Amino acid sequence: MRKVFVLAAVLPLLLTACGGSDDGGSSGTKKVVYIQGMSGIPFYQTVACGATEQAKKDGIEFSYQGASEWDVAKQTQIVNAVVAGKPDAIMISVTDTKAMIGPLARAKAAGIPIIGIDDNVQDDSIMDTFIQSDSIEGGKLAGRKMGELLKGTGEVMALNNTPGTPIGDARVEGFKQGIAEFPGIKFLGVQYTQNATAKAANIASTTAGSNKKLSGIFGVTTNNTEGAVTGIREAGKTGQIKVIGYDTSDPIVEALKNGGADALVVQYPFGEGKQGIVSAQKIWKGESVPKKQTSPFVVATKENLNTPEVQEYIYKMTCS
């Protein structure tokens, strides 16, 4: 069983837990801290599981934490506290690609390598490397799958967090490119949910009730997909309106099993976590590390869900 070292997102405790000497700890053991975009999100938890496994294998001290909300100010507080603890590297999934430039610039000025997970900041000089799947390509896979499921005809919409988020917008753009291969499919546009499952459910239910031609919803993130599944169920149209999600959670996987969802584009966060630890070691040794490193996908369906290939990608809330 993989063991995870958890730090609570409480700053005083954090300062104690991450505190160390200037050389990364009196024991000489290197320390890496992963700052999640938000705690309790399966993607980030699975990144931590992968990093934990690789760190244990390589004799590196690893810990992780995240704010309980998707909040730039709270993530900034955590970054500042982690920097004060003088780790040997920071892995981070940023909540805002612009607002996090300042806090991470201070970390870089302190001599701490920065490894991005799932995104980069808008100042390309800050991160030593970032590991990210191609969101356009992932969205395109979702669009093509939607076209196949609808046999090339129907009206579809997307649920995204907020306008202007690079990853979400790229996934939507890829989705539009994918369904463009099916001229009989009409794209109704994007509605925004502030990453709130309840709001996504309300939008899905309301739209399903008001538009009898609605035949598919693309959930751009975990909470949007969970909301779409709930909303379509509440509208009494499970199975009639297709739901394709991006990323997984236990409820989404269960929905895939029982027909509430039809397909999922799944990234490889476990691999990204491992890759982050490997990258930190290369940086410490002065070895070349590409600025951008990519991560693969798999498209999960009810039929292939239990195959070893797909199970390797499924996100987990506990490491095992």
Side-chain angles (χ1 to χ4, degrees):
M1 175 179 292
R2 298 178 188 113
K3 184 177 180 181
V4 179
F5 302 91
V6 182
L7 294 181
V10 179
L11 298 183
L13 174 60
L14 173 68
L15 286 165
T16 300
C18 291
S21 64
D22 290 349
D23 65 357
S26 57
S27 65
T29 301
K30 295 285 190 180
K31 295 181 180 179
V32 178
V33 180
Y34 171 44
I35 302 171
Q36 300 170 316
M38 180 177 164
S39 63
I41 299 296
F43 180 92
Y44 301 132
Q45 182 63 30
T46 310
V47 170
C49 290
T52 297
E53 181 176 281
Q54 189 68 43
K56 184 176 181 180
K57 176 183 175 184
D58 297 340
I60 293 168
E61 184 177 334
F62 173 75
S63 61
Y64 67 92
Q65 64 189 283
S68 59
E69 301 173 55
W70 188 265
D71 186 288
V72 172
K74 290 181 178 179
Q75 187 173 56
T76 297
Q77 284 184 306
I78 293 175
V79 169
N80 292 341
V82 168
V83 170
K86 301 178 181 177
D88 297 287
I90 291 175
M91 293 166 53
I92 183 167
S93 298
V94 296
T95 52
D96 188 301
T97 60
K98 184 176 182 180
M100 293 310 298
I101 291 174
L104 292 178
R106 290 190 286 275
K108 188 175 182 67
I112 301 171
I114 310 295
I115 299 164
I117 300 293
D118 202 35
D119 211 346
N120 190 11
V121 290
Q122 294 182 28
D123 183 341
D124 204 43
S125 70
I126 300 296
M127 291 187 175
D128 293 78
T129 182
F130 66 99
I131 304 161
Q132 182 182 38
S133 56
D134 186 330
S135 296
I136 291 277
E137 187 60 31
K140 195 180 297 183
L141 289 173
R144 286 173 178 157
K145 192 63 180 178
M146 183 68 82
E148 293 171 10
L149 291 171
L150 297 180
K151 301 185 187 308
T153 183
E155 296 188 2
V156 301
M157 63 179 289
L159 295 175
N160 195 3
N161 293 349
T162 56
T165 53
I167 292 178
D169 290 351
R171 292 174 182 177
V172 171
E173 177 57 31
F175 181 74
K176 291 163 62 177
Q177 293 179 17
I179 59 174
E181 298 175 15
F182 302 86
I185 292 182
K186 179 181 179 181
F187 184 57
L188 299 172
V190 185
Q191 293 202 44
Y192 297 99
T193 67
Q194 283 70 52
N195 202 19
T197 303
K199 185 169 184 177
N202 183 57
I203 291 172
S205 177
T206 301
T207 308
S210 62
N211 183 356
K212 294 182 179 179
K213 294 182 179 179
L214 181 68
S215 46
I217 296 178
F218 173 41
V220 175
T221 65
T222 303
N223 288 348
N224 289 305
T225 304
E226 290 185 9
V229 169
T230 300
I232 296 304
R233 183 180 66 245
E234 291 174 349
K237 294 191 175 181
T238 297
Q240 299 174 43
I241 297 175
K242 304 299 182 186
V243 175
I244 293 182
Y246 203 112
D247 294 332
T248 74
S249 66
D250 288 348
I252 292 174
V253 171
E254 190 60 30
L256 191 63
K257 292 177 181 175
N258 64 29
D262 299 274
L264 308 171
V265 175
V266 190
Q267 302 179 82
Y268 190 33
F270 191 84
E272 292 186 20
K274 295 176 68 175
Q275 205 169 345
I277 295 295
V278 170
S279 297
Q281 294 175 84
K282 288 183 177 180
I283 293 168
W284 296 334
K285 294 175 183 175
E287 297 178 3
S288 176
V289 179
K291 173 64 79 172
K292 180 178 181 179
Q293 303 183 69
T294 59
S295 180
F297 296 103
V298 70
V299 177
T301 63
K302 184 177 181 179
E303 290 72 27
N304 70 10
L305 178 62
N306 291 323
T307 63
E309 179 192 8
V310 173
Q311 283 297 309
E312 176 76 12
Y313 282 69
I314 296 299
Y315 309 170
K316 303 171 178 65
M317 284 305 293
T318 57
C319 304
S320 59

